[in-house]
Amino acid sequence: MSRIAARFASLRAQGRGALIPFLEAYDPDRATSMAILRGMPGAGADLIEIGMPFTDPMADGPIIQAAGKRALAAGATVAGTLGMVAEFRGEDAATPVILMGYLNPILSYGPERFCKDAGRAGVDGLIVVDLPPEEAQLLAPHAAANGLDIIRLVAPTTDDARLKLVLTGSSGFVYYVSITGITGTRSATGAELAANIPRLRRATDLPIAIGFGVRTPTQAAEAVRIADAAVVASALIDTLAGCLGKGDVAKRVLDQVRELADGVRQARVPA
Amino acid sequence: MTVSLAPQLGRNSLRTGPDEHGRFGGFGGRFVAETLMPLILEVEAAYRAARADPEFQPELDRYLKDYVGRPSPLWFAERLTRELGGAKVYFKRDELNHTGAHKINSCMGQILLARRMGKTRIIAETGAGQHGVATATVCALFGLPCTVYMGATDVERQKPNVFRMKLLGAEVRPVTSGAATLKDAMNEALRDWVANVHDTYYLIGTVAGPHPYPMMVRDFQSVIGEEARAQLHEAEGRLPDAVVAAIGGGSNAMGLFHPFLDDAAVRLIGVEAAGLGLDTHQHAASLSRGRPGVLHGNRTYLLQDADGQIEEAHSISAGLDYPGIGPEHSWLHDIGRVEYVAATDAEALAAFQLCTRTEGIIPALEPAHALAHVAKLAPGMDKDAILLMNLCGRGDKDIFTVAEHLGVTL
């Protein structure tokens, strides 16, 4: 069983949902982002999503755009990001790590070489924002050969006919983009989620994570009541950006992860 | 020599692309986030339906004739020809279109499509501001609200066009992310579209972006080449020997080249912006110095670093200042059908002055790049050879930039 499947199975047995916090590799520098990554499991992260910096993050709002810019200025590269995961794996063999990014740096690295090196570093899944199912053959065979799940985004605009196509070849979990919009801008209402998640649930057995607009412990709790996991990204980056130059960056981000984890752990998950 | 005015598309035609996946060879495609995918497919279906509707093209033709002012003339540049001392140089004068450039050809087609789709809000990106002005113009014509994304750097260097767009009722949103130029304006327009999928149509200005845009914008711009082909036949009774156009994203070149792709005897030459020189890092020559990658929804040649991060382009012309190029050009480059060369800022400036002095036409800095190559090419060709160049825009918008480079204070 893959690390992602094992983690969701064990959470289901405990009757609770997952918290998936996000960090941008090398933001604001390698050492700080490495400290955040290393501290996340202890702070209550069930899975971890790591952003791979790109100059042109088209699906991201200003907060994550700024994170990418800081990271690139700090010398982030694809190889450097994989190196962080390998270092993390030296200490933690159980927490699944998902890389989220855009296609071009992967193409430039070479899709086959990238999947091989990512598998070897201990990456468990990939989210490639600008790689829709129509173009997935570029990466899918190499991901499969190296034990990497391809985690697809499903949006409110994805109709039932498309949903089938998107879910074919999806593995690990399904990432539900809760709003039509970019990251860190607005949040879906409970009613919107209640309308869309059951539709998705009927179409797949995979765990469902809700992302885009999950910011507070209350929202994270609400997400895992309806779905299986909550992804929190912009709210954490906001905190990081707000305390740059004031010291204790990793500690403040991890404190917030702890609060989010408390929210998730206190939420009741329907059987 | 006899010329067929409506060439038949044979099995080996180069004009049948893209395939159903939006591919020209290995280039093009639909690399967008899932939120946008259903929308891209909706635009494609609507475009195919419009093409199949016998009323669509006549309606577009009427606007092109009575509003845009088509056909644009074909002009034999006689003094310039004498000055260069070689091939006869003809200008396809798309700078005489309403709004002063070729951009409106595609804007007119796309706004009719957006109306058919029931979209009530238009967004666009712009570099030099020509596409923004053309988009704001058709939005004013049809009474649709219009938001134009423009890099903050470009807002600063293209003030007259910013004011024009505002007069036309458009909202101009300066983009400060990235390097604040055309590439970033396109990112921001895509972000707007993702957030406003229900009522908004994204009117892309060039032959790039996800399928169907490269095909659709090419189709709408092909009116340039179709007219030129017929006009040259009337003037000279034959095909040109060489056809030259400037390339940023590549829409004016694609529109001029496409009707000539199957005429193997016609040399097709695209001129990229070499900026301060191809061996500096200050240029916009994606084909000459880039390598294939994925940006803005399509696979194409891009200026990028060793790690796949997109690099900033540079050109004296804001309209050529883009690190990518339309995917059909990438394919035509790889199969060798079109030659791609480059002209520097300095060569374009010299050609700008040459054209103004010899023909009484102030060209935009974009076609001045094409003319810079014509000036290199024509002298080495026979006096009865024919060179066709796309004068795709007029230079009023550029006089401040040119004055600054010539050391003149206005």
Side-chain angles (χ1 to χ4, degrees):
Chain A
M1 196 187 283
S2 75
R3 256 191 294 260
I4 293 175
R7 178 54 53 102
F8 275 107
S10 117
L11 291 175
R12 198 171 301 124
Q14 297 169 45
R16 69 173 180 89
L19 174 68
I20 312 181
F22 171 95
L23 73 147
E24 183 91 350
Y26 282 71
D27 174 30
D29 52 63
R30 188 184 190 279
T32 308
S33 66
M34 195 63 223
I36 294 171
L37 173 59
R38 199 174 273 139
M40 272 186 170
D46 298 302
L47 297 83
I48 299 169
E49 189 181 318
I50 302 179
M52 295 192 290
F54 181 48
T55 40
D56 295 78
M58 278 161 288
D60 286 305
I63 297 167
I64 295 184
Q65 288 172 40
K69 219 170 169 174
R70 287 191 297 268
L72 289 171
T77 58
V78 171
T81 303
L82 295 178
M84 282 180 61
V85 179
E87 194 177 326
F88 173 77
R89 274 286 166 255
E91 306 162 9
D92 184 318
T95 310
V97 170
I98 296 114
L99 295 184
M100 180 171 199
Y102 294 80
L103 185 57
N104 201 55
I106 294 174
L107 281 184
S108 178
Y109 194 88
E112 186 173 4
R113 178 178 160 229
F114 174 78
C115 289
K116 203 174 279 175
D117 289 356
R120 206 174 289 154
V123 173
D124 302 290
L126 303 175
I127 302 174
V128 185
V129 178
D130 52 352
L131 188 71
E134 282 83 350
E135 310 284 358
Q137 277 312 305
L138 262 175
L139 201 62
H142 308 303
N146 292 282
L148 300 171
D149 284 319
I150 295 268
I151 294 145
R152 294 252 172 85
L153 305 178
V154 170
T157 49
T158 311
D159 62 22
D160 288 342
R162 247 196 100 64
L163 190 54
K164 248 179 236 166
L165 176 70
V166 173
L167 292 171
T168 309
S170 286
S171 58
F173 61 92
V174 177
Y175 190 124
Y176 183 69
V177 175
S178 66
I179 52 159
T180 52
I182 52 176
T183 54
T185 48
R186 64 177 195 94
S187 303
T189 63
E192 284 173 304
L193 292 178
N196 274 304
I197 297 300
R199 178 173 76 100
L200 186 51
R201 188 73 84 189
R202 282 193 296 277
T204 182
D205 293 330
L206 290 172
I208 298 168
I210 296 177
F212 284 47
V214 183
R215 298 185 63 86
T216 64
T218 312
Q219 287 170 333
E222 185 173 33
V224 297
R225 254 180 238 120
I226 301 172
D228 305 298
V231 182
V232 182
S234 296
L236 293 170
I237 307 281
D238 242 354
T239 299
L240 178 148
C243 59
L244 285 178
K246 296 176 196 161
D248 271 356
V249 174
K251 182 185 174 299
R252 295 212 206 175
V253 172
L254 292 172
D255 283 347
Q256 193 178 359
V257 171
R258 220 163 269 124
E259 289 165 24
L260 290 160
D262 286 346
V264 164
R265 280 156 207 244
Q266 281 157 23
R268 286 266 177 264
V269 178
Chain B
M1 198 196 300
T2 58
V3 179
S4 159
L5 287 183
Q8 296 296 304
L9 299 188
R11 223 175 351 142
N12 297 319
S13 173
L14 299 176
R15 304 182 59 204
T16 56
D19 68 14
E20 77 264 35
H21 306 294
R23 300 282 182 146
F24 303 92
F27 299 100
R30 289 180 278 234
F31 296 91
V32 297
E34 178 56 29
T35 315
L36 279 183
M37 264 318 285
L39 225 77
I40 299 287
L41 296 171
E42 184 194 348
V43 171
E44 186 187 346
Y47 178 60
R48 291 198 188 282
R51 279 287 165 216
D53 179 348
E55 286 175 20
F56 181 73
Q57 190 63 43
E59 188 188 11
L60 175 57
D61 287 345
R62 185 175 74 78
Y63 282 107
L64 289 180
K65 174 173 171 287
D66 297 336
Y67 188 75
V68 174
R70 299 212 74 93
S72 69
L74 182 76
W75 172 246
F76 173 38
E78 210 172 338
R79 285 199 65 217
L80 175 71
T81 296
R82 269 207 303 279
E83 175 116 359
L84 295 177
K88 296 170 81 169
V89 178
Y90 279 87
F91 290 159
K92 178 60 175 164
R93 297 200 56 193
D94 257 52
E95 103 279 11
L96 289 177
N97 294 336
H98 180 42
T99 71
H102 70 289
K103 290 291 184 189
I104 194 147
N105 300 330
S106 164
C107 288
M108 196 51 88
Q110 288 192 64
I111 196 95
L112 294 182
L113 182 69
R115 277 160 54 89
R116 287 173 65 101
M117 294 174 72
K119 300 296 183 187
T120 54
R121 174 176 176 264
I122 304 295
I123 57 171
E125 84 295 337
T126 197
Q130 289 307 100
H131 176 61
V133 166
T135 304
T137 297
V138 296
C139 286
L141 178 64
F142 290 106
L144 291 173
C146 174
T147 300
V148 179
Y149 289 92
M150 188 169 185
T153 307
D154 292 334
V155 168
E156 200 46 47
R157 62 177 168 174
Q158 302 285 339
K159 280 180 188 154
N161 272 344
V162 173
F163 185 55
R164 270 183 203 111
M165 287 184 268
K166 289 181 178 169
L167 283 175
L168 289 160
E171 179 199 355
V172 179
R173 287 196 196 159
V175 176
T176 52
S177 60
T181 59
L182 179 54
K183 148 180 109 70
D184 309 290
M186 199 151 180
N187 288 334
E188 212 53 39
L190 284 163
R191 290 179 186 124
D192 179 311
W193 205 20
V194 168
N196 296 287
V197 285
H198 56 288
D199 66 351
T200 298
Y201 180 86
Y202 181 14
L203 208 158
I204 295 183
T206 191
V207 287
H211 179 61
Y213 284 96
M215 168 183 79
M216 180 166 68
V217 174
R218 173 204 70 197
D219 290 350
F220 288 136
Q221 292 294 359
S222 290
V223 66
I224 303 172
E226 282 154 16
E227 284 177 8
R229 196 184 157 92
Q231 288 167 323
L232 200 56
H233 181 251
E234 185 157 331
E236 295 275 356
R238 68 181 188 92
L239 290 166
D241 296 281
V243 175
V244 183
I247 302 205
S251 69
N252 93 80
M254 211 54 246
L256 182 63
F257 293 167
H258 197 254
F260 293 103
L261 285 182
D262 289 337
D263 301 308
V266 179
R267 278 179 76 184
L268 302 175
I269 304 165
V271 186
E272 297 191 296
L276 301 182
L278 286 182
D279 295 324
T280 69
H281 275 280
Q282 304 281 301
H283 60 75
S286 349
L287 285 176
S288 303
R289 286 293 184 272
R291 60 193 174 90
V294 165
L295 180 70
H296 295 151
N298 66 103
R299 182 169 187 275
T300 194
Y301 276 80
L302 299 171
L303 298 179
Q304 54 182 317
D305 70 12
D307 209 46
Q309 304 295 341
I310 308 303
E311 292 183 321
E312 291 303 329
H314 165 83
S315 169
I316 188 174
S317 143
L320 303 181
D321 207 343
Y322 181 65
I325 184 166
E328 195 166 5
H329 283 295
S330 291
W331 173 65
L332 292 167
H333 170 264
D334 275 16
I335 65 170
R337 175 62 187 98
V338 178
E339 301 161 50
Y340 292 90
V341 297
T344 63
D345 288 355
E347 290 168 333
L349 264 176
F352 176 98
Q353 296 169 83
L354 174 69
C355 185
T356 306
R357 210 175 54 237
T358 58
E359 292 296 328
I361 298 171
I362 302 178
L365 282 169
E366 290 81 11
H369 284 73
L371 188 62
H373 191 69
V374 166
K376 292 179 207 167
L377 198 61
M381 293 169 75
D382 285 347
K383 282 195 188 320
D384 58 354
I386 298 170
L387 240 169
L388 169 65
M389 189 200 102
N390 201 7
L391 197 71
C392 61
R394 66 174 184 229
D396 310 44
K397 70 178 173 63
D398 292 318
I399 55 169
F400 299 100
T401 305
V402 171
E404 193 189 316
H405 281 268
L406 297 179
V408 177
T409 311
L410 294 184

